[in-house]
């Protein structure tokens, strides 16, 4: 049996990190790098702003899955700057210095979240349609960068940095514009959640596909949601290039409730 | 006679800022914001890292032309972070707080400079062709972000921030992916310079077109070079949308010399 791949998950104690640990804990040799211990995972407690600690932690790893960030869509600049911008630079630089071959970067649909201001996307996420408009096509990865905050801008920044480290430092970097991973794995509390939902097993699947993608796949960006009816973002590229086969699909019925406390 | 527009030029003492001051000094009421005084311009001496000073300086201005940066293509992260990333955030945030309606951002072709690694662009900038390859088309603004360093990444970041401030704070922001403005205005020292050249009168023209563009033009990105034979980047969009009419065009003859000291 070949040795398990060593996978470092930054943010391993967070919402998505815990799912990755639960689903892939037997398949990969996972270590969490986070501000706190991740239950059930080997854990290194440290800060993203500590480049030397990251470099040390990344040595010998086959892949780094970079999830850690201030994940609030409305992160103020003062927090996005150290946690998302500097932290992301530190992760790529540490991966380069430590000789890691593959980075999987948790980007976000918020890198292009400005499109929610436009029709028909606005009415879709507001739940104003009974059915999809005639001829409707979801947006794909060719749409321009259009962040809806510093958080979204930091995700676009991570995609740009990944391209630089791919072109000039031989790193392979794959970027998932993640929809919405919900703690209770239930998107029926709002039309926006129905549109953006990425189920626990679907995020685990697509992250695994990125970890295991051939080394020849040097760089790419993929929208990542489940196969939801009301999707804004096309998942065809992830299916075609990564072989993503979403197992879940949000339907069209919701009961408007507040965002669950764990997901705010 | 209507009052002259008040235009704040960050980096007014720099290579491009001095050209803007010389060409447009009578047409606009220009103030320079730079680390040093700009000869012949009203000058505020200050640092881009000082948000409060920027806000104060921007009050009452009709437009801000943001040129100031560490302009080295190979800027180390430690310098790009304060001067280009934080500095650019501060400029947009100060413009918003001061009620400035229009920002003109000096982006750069280095936001997509990774394409110089690919053919036929590599051979063009290396001067290996006698004529343009058959069917050759320059790249346009639909090509993906692909920076060749932290400098280029900081320019892509400024474009993303401009989009955010346009969508959510009512700013109009126009972004010029500037080619190469050369102190002696002579690009004949290398094939790369022949390809990228943006002459003094052409940079002055296109910056003026951005300052004066109608308020309805909320956001856009334009490659900006002179009408050079060996161009990598299409200037058709700038012609079409801004009415840019380049007056200069680099030909095909060069004598290989070192980059002029003033332009390193």
């Amino acid at each position: 049996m070949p040795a398990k791949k060593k996978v470092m998950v930054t943010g391993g104690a967070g919402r998505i990190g815990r799912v990755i640990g639960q689903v892939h804990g037997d398949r990969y040799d996972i270590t969490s790098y986070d501000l706190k211990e991740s239950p059930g995972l080997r854990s290194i407690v440290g800060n993203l702003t500590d480049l030397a600690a990251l470099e040390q932690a990344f040595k010998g790893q086959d892949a780094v899955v970079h999830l850690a960030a201030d994940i609030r869509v409305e992160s103020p600049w003062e927090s996005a700057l150290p946690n998302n911008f500097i932290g992301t630079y530190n992760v790529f630089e540490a991966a380069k210095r430590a000789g890691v071959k593959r980075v999987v970067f948790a980007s976000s649909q918020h890198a292009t979240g400005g499109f929610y201001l436009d029709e028909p996307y606005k009415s879709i996420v507001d739940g104003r349609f009974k059915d999809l408009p005639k001829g409707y096509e979801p947006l794909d990865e060719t749409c321009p960068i259009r962040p809806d905050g510093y958080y979204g801008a930091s995700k676009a920044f991570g995609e740009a940095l990944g391209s630089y480290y791919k072109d000039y430092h031989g790193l392979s970097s794959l970027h998932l514009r993640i929809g919405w991973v919900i703690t209770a794995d239930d998107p029926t509390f709002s039309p926006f959640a129905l549109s953006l939902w990425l189920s626990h097993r679907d995020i685990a699947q697509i992250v695994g596909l990125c970890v295991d993608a051939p080394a020849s796949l040097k760089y790419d960006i993929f929208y990542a949601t489940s196969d939801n009816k009301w999707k804004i973002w096309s998942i065809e590229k992830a299916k075609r290039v990564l072989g993503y086969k979403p197992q879940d699909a949000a339907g069209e019925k919701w009961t408007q409730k507040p965002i669950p406390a764990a997901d705010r």
Side-chain angles (χ1 to χ4, degrees), chain A:
Chain A
M1 204 172 84
K4 290 176 185 174
K5 275 187 189 158
K6 292 182 187 228
V7 177
M8 173 68 63
V9 178
T10 73
R15 190 190 306 168
I16 296 176
R18 292 194 307 269
V19 172
I20 304 293
Q22 282 156 16
V23 176
H24 289 308
D26 291 333
R27 187 157 163 228
Y28 303 129
D29 179 1
I30 300 181
T31 307
S32 164
Y33 185 102
D34 204 320
L35 294 170
K36 57 184 180 187
E37 302 252 337
S38 181
L41 288 182
R42 184 189 311 113
S43 297
I44 296 173
V45 173
N47 199 302
L48 285 182
T49 55
D50 189 341
L51 174 56
L54 283 168
E55 182 185 346
Q56 187 61 34
F58 288 2
K59 279 186 184 156
Q61 296 291 319
D62 295 300
V64 168
V65 177
H66 180 38
L67 306 172
D70 184 333
I71 63 167
R72 292 172 296 168
V73 175
E74 301 192 349
S75 300
W77 173 253
E78 291 69 24
S79 173
L81 177 62
N83 293 304
N84 297 13
F85 287 93
I86 297 173
T88 294
Y89 161 78
N90 284 344
V91 164
F92 278 104
E93 182 64 17
K96 180 195 92 170
R97 293 184 188 180
V100 175
K101 298 268 187 286
R102 162 74 41 85
V103 172
V104 181
F105 176 74
S107 185
S108 167
Q109 31 81 30
H110 289 287
T112 51
F115 284 96
Y116 298 128
L117 299 171
D118 295 349
E119 294 296 350
Y121 316 110
K122 189 174 193 310
S123 287
I124 288 175
V125 297
D126 287 349
R128 264 185 267 130
F129 289 141
K130 293 210 169 151
D131 209 339
L132 288 168
K134 210 173 166 182
Y136 172 72
E137 294 283 349
L139 292 162
D140 69 17
E141 293 82 355
T142 62
C143 76
I145 293 296
R146 191 176 168 188
D148 52 9
Y150 306 123
Y151 171 82
S154 78
K155 296 306 183 181
F157 166 70
E159 295 174 359
L161 264 196
S163 176
Y164 164 67
Y165 278 90
K166 170 264 299 179
D167 274 335
Y168 297 89
H169 299 293
L171 221 69
S172 163
S173 191
L174 302 179
H175 302 254
L176 295 172
R177 288 185 182 161
I178 292 170
W180 196 352
V181 176
I182 296 161
T183 305
D185 216 10
D186 175 358
T188 59
F189 58 87
S190 82
F192 190 66
L194 285 184
S195 176
L196 272 293
W197 188 42
L198 177 58
S199 74
H200 289 194
R201 54 187 180 170
D202 286 344
I203 176 82
Q205 179 195 155
I206 200 166
V207 167
L209 288 167
C210 287
V211 168
D212 293 336
S216 57
L217 189 60
K218 292 293 187 193
Y219 180 81
D220 220 331
I221 296 170
F222 306 96
Y223 285 110
T225 67
S226 291
D227 195 12
N228 309 324
K229 168 169 179 176
W230 295 109
K231 70 172 82 66
I232 304 286
W233 312 106
S234 171
I235 55 174
E236 294 307 307
K237 188 176 171 190
K239 290 181 182 175
R240 194 175 67 245
V241 176
L242 296 173
Y244 174 49
K245 294 190 182 92
Q247 293 182 276
D248 292 297
E252 56 186 20
K253 290 192 181 160
W254 77 92
T255 311
Q256 191 79 50
K257 292 179 196 154
I259 297 175
D263 298 299
R264 270 172 221 162

